[in-house]
Amino acid sequence: MLIVACSTEGSVESDPEDNSSDKGSNDNVVIEDEGNKRDEIVIAVNENFITMDPHNSGDRNSNAVQGAMLEGLIDERDGEIVPVLAEDFEVNDDATEFTFYLREGVVFHDGQPFNAEAVKANFERITGDQSLRLYSRGFNDITDIDVIDEYTIKITLSQSNSSMLTKIVPARMISPKALKEEDLTRNPVGTGPYKFVEWVPGDHLTVELNENYWNQGQAKVQKITYRPVPENGARVAMLKTGEADFIFPVPTQNLAELEEDENIIVETNQSTIARYVSLNTMKEPFNDVRVRQALNYAIDKDAFINVVMAGFATPLDSVLPSTIFNYQQQELYQYNIERAKELLAEAGYENGFTAEIWGNTNSDTVRGMQFIQQQLSQIGVELEVLSMEEGTLSERIYGGHGPEEAEVEMWYVSWGGFPSDTDHAIRPILGGNSFPPAGGNSAYFSNPEVDQWLFEANATVDAELKRELYGKVQQKIYEEAPWIFLASDENLFGRRADLEGVYVTPNGRIHVGYAEIK
């Protein structure tokens, strides 16, 4: 769906506008002189970055910036696995052996060669550290990592894993030297089209074009500066004045004024993002399924979509958005205040209760939490809204404590999966082995049946059996209600009209590999 007709169709290519060549000026002047044409862009996002370690990150802003500098063996585009640092790959019939034929002549930003030994070093790091996010997302199944020759590597699993290729997608390659010597949270060294320059937390992160990139001519912008701008109005103003060339997300309440600006193009695509409130099922009163169901009945989903999302979303009628493979629609928790009150009374909370709801500081999140606060007040549930800077919030969620020490009660959050990988859309956020810090299961939800079905579905290559098992998973989780199920987002992103090749993927990552100023 295109907000402005002159945009290219879909979410493929995007564009900003020329500024003065004087780097100290914010004047929107188009310079025709080829020698003075600007070659730097600014991308404004809604929250701070947390880490540059690709093996241990979960927030989409960190992942997006990493994607400019770091590459994996393969990638997923439009639901298909495509080669990147691996030119080709093979999978045996029972999905236990994966062989990758690597691209030759690639070097890391520090001059180290990319080869099978480099891949092995990266995979050994992930499989050897259970605290890394990627470990429990399939890498814990790896038993052998064999270098066949300089540019061929094979991994062997302890059991079949039909979605292992998608698990390998986020395993971006880091220089073996950097693995040993650098603080990977702050100093990423990859093979991507852009190289790391500096990161000033809370202000900006800058990358510059990699002149030795193996795919020469792909990206053309010389320098990209990412700026975290949580306040919606400020982000929009930056796009309008040319201080920013690309912003994500575009605040829905500002669409009208952006549509009127001929120098700006706004695009949208249907995302794979599930938006929800996780409920800590190990804490009272959320350890009672009746309370969790009551909260779902107490939220008017249509009003949420209209008020908070300005209509750019659909109700989340499963644990999966409809854009994820094997999605199966469940019976929606229809808005029913009386039913919500009945369930609370049955659980012993006829007078309601008090709780905290956590979220980050961006304007849309705050508005969403305030909406939830207002809705739940109708059934006697009084919420204190606590918005925190992204790094602080991440530390309080993933700070290394066990479930018993977790302070979080309710978290307003979202998760974006890969369209083709049902397992990745569920296990990292609701699997019994995905409690923080290893995973994103901040609901601390653990159901033996669900875990067994997930295991069986991931192990089988039988498509019909897989769909049947994922159907059981979706039904059970929706009934158990470890979340308040809210909506599936649409991605809205805006650019200046002279920038092309920058876009947002369905799972909410900004892609800059084809950035070019026209």
Side-chain angles (χ1 to χ4, degrees):
M1 173 181 168
L2 303 180
I3 306 302
V4 178
C6 58
S7 159
T8 54
E9 185 167 356
S11 63
V12 224
E13 292 190 345
S14 318
D15 259 344
E17 155 145 301
D18 283 329
N19 290 338
S20 165
S21 60
D22 179 359
K23 295 179 182 177
S25 171
N26 286 328
D27 295 336
N28 297 322
V29 180
V30 178
I31 304 297
E32 298 298 337
D33 181 352
E34 187 67 26
N36 289 330
K37 187 172 183 179
R38 68 191 181 94
D39 57 5
E40 302 179 12
I41 65 170
V42 172
I43 295 176
V45 295
N46 60 348
E47 275 300 328
N48 286 324
F49 317 107
I50 296 174
T51 179
M52 290 300 107
D53 184 347
H55 306 156
N56 197 35
S57 59
D59 68 295
R60 66 185 183 187
N61 285 334
S62 294
N63 284 331
V65 178
Q66 293 164 20
M69 300 174 282
L70 308 169
E71 297 172 306
L73 302 184
I74 51 180
D75 199 0
E76 193 210 46
R77 295 171 194 162
D78 300 323
E80 299 290 332
I81 299 296
V82 297
V84 183
L85 291 177
E87 288 187 313
D88 200 2
F89 53 86
E90 293 177 357
V91 183
N92 69 346
D93 290 341
D94 60 356
T96 57
E97 295 181 355
F98 297 76
T99 304
F100 296 91
Y101 303 95
L102 307 180
R103 192 176 299 279
E104 299 183 21
V106 177
V107 295
F108 288 96
H109 298 155
D110 61 1
Q112 294 287 301
F114 169 75
N115 51 31
E117 290 292 346
V119 176
K120 183 176 182 179
N122 277 265
F123 282 7
E124 285 182 338
R125 182 205 181 212
I126 301 169
T127 57
D129 188 345
Q130 296 185 21
S131 69
L132 296 176
R133 301 278 188 90
L134 289 187
Y135 173 82
S136 60
R137 298 182 189 174
F139 281 80
N140 53 326
D141 290 339
I142 295 177
T143 58
D144 296 290
I145 306 167
D146 297 315
V147 173
I148 308 302
D149 58 41
E150 186 174 5
Y151 294 104
T152 308
I153 191 164
K154 182 177 78 172
I155 65 170
T156 304
L157 310 184
S158 59
Q159 59 197 10
S160 295
N161 189 333
S162 58
S163 63
M164 190 64 194
L165 284 175
T166 316
K167 304 296 189 295
I168 291 172
V169 166
R172 291 165 173 155
M173 295 292 105
I174 302 169
S175 160
K177 182 180 179 183
L179 286 174
K180 296 177 181 178
E181 301 177 5
E182 299 289 351
D183 175 4
L184 300 181
T185 65
R186 298 299 305 270
N187 297 298
V189 182
T191 62
Y194 288 92
K195 300 186 295 185
F196 177 75
V197 176
E198 66 173 354
W199 179 14
V200 180
D203 187 77
H204 70 276
L205 189 151
T206 301
V207 299
E208 65 182 7
L209 194 65
N210 174 17
E211 300 294 347
N212 295 317
Y213 186 50
W214 59 268
N215 193 0
Q216 281 292 328
Q218 178 175 301
K220 296 182 174 64
V221 171
Q222 292 294 314
K223 183 178 287 187
I224 302 175
T225 299
Y226 296 84
R227 293 193 180 278
V229 185
E231 206 284 308
N232 280 344
R235 206 161 58 249
V236 169
M238 290 175 69
L239 183 63
K240 292 182 69 176
T241 62
E243 186 181 351
D245 303 283
F246 187 97
I247 68 170
F248 177 64
V250 166
T252 52
Q253 64 270 28
N254 297 100
L255 275 177
E257 62 178 294
L258 293 178
E259 286 175 352
E260 295 172 357
D261 193 326
E262 62 183 9
N263 296 312
I264 293 172
I265 294 173
V266 179
E267 294 174 288
T268 181
N269 60 37
Q270 185 62 46
S271 81
T272 59
I273 296 171
R275 185 164 301 279
Y276 56 94
V277 177
S278 70
L279 307 171
N280 188 337
T281 59
M282 288 192 175
K283 279 186 178 292
E284 293 184 359
F286 308 110
N287 58 346
D288 192 316
V289 66
R290 294 169 295 186
V291 171
R292 302 195 300 267
Q293 290 174 343
L295 301 186
N296 273 282
Y297 282 116
I299 303 296
D300 186 336
K301 311 300 191 300
D302 291 334
F304 174 82
I305 290 170
N306 289 327
V307 172
V308 178
M309 312 298 288
F312 287 90
T314 55
L316 189 60
D317 54 9
S318 174
V319 66
L320 298 176
S322 61
T323 47
I324 299 286
F325 195 53
N326 291 311
Y327 154 83
Q328 294 177 41
Q329 183 178 16
Q330 306 300 308
E331 185 177 350
L332 194 68
Y333 288 97
Q334 297 291 347
Y335 182 52
N336 190 331
I337 290 293
E338 292 309 312
R339 180 58 179 150
K341 289 180 178 178
E342 287 174 8
L343 285 168
L344 281 186
E346 289 176 17
Y349 296 95
E350 59 274 1
N351 296 319
F353 57 87
T354 61
E356 294 178 348
I357 183 169
W358 293 4
N360 59 33
T361 57
N362 81 66
S363 304
D364 291 333
T365 296
V366 173
R367 188 167 69 253
M369 290 193 293
Q370 289 172 343
F371 179 89
I372 301 297
Q373 180 188 50
Q374 179 274 324
Q375 292 273 285
L376 295 188
S377 68
Q378 300 175 92
I379 59 170
V381 176
E382 301 299 325
L383 294 187
E384 181 181 0
V385 171
L386 294 180
S387 58
M388 299 173 234
E389 184 273 327
E390 191 72 38
T392 302
L393 179 60
S394 180
E395 176 61 28
R396 294 192 70 177
I397 298 287
Y398 298 106
H401 46 254
E404 296 78 15
E405 295 82 38
E407 298 178 273
V408 63
E409 296 177 323
M410 304 172 66
W411 183 17
Y412 182 93
V413 67
S414 62
W415 175 259
F418 295 106
S420 63
D421 190 351
T422 317
D423 183 75
H424 178 261
I426 302 175
R427 188 195 299 266
I429 46 176
L430 288 166
N433 65 344
S434 297
F435 292 172
N441 187 355
S442 58
Y444 293 95
F445 174 76
S446 181
N447 182 286
E449 283 186 311
V450 167
D451 288 340
Q452 182 61 28
W453 291 330
L454 286 172
F455 171 80
E456 293 175 8
N458 202 42
T460 184
V461 292
D462 184 326
E464 286 303 314
L465 176 58
K466 190 184 292 285
R467 180 167 178 79
E468 177 186 338
L469 291 165
Y470 281 131
K472 292 180 178 180
V473 168
Q474 291 169 75
Q475 181 179 2
K476 175 61 72 173
I477 292 176
Y478 214 72
E479 290 172 354
E480 290 292 315
W483 300 346
I484 300 176
F485 300 92
L486 295 174
S488 176
D489 296 10
E490 292 181 30
N491 291 321
L492 280 166
F493 44 101
R495 59 183 171 92
R496 300 290 295 183
D498 65 340
L499 176 70
E500 292 186 359
V502 182
Y503 61 92
V504 176
T505 62
N507 63 354
R509 272 56 166 178
I510 301 171
H511 193 283
V512 298
Y514 298 94
E516 181 178 4
I517 299 167
K518 291 292 188 179

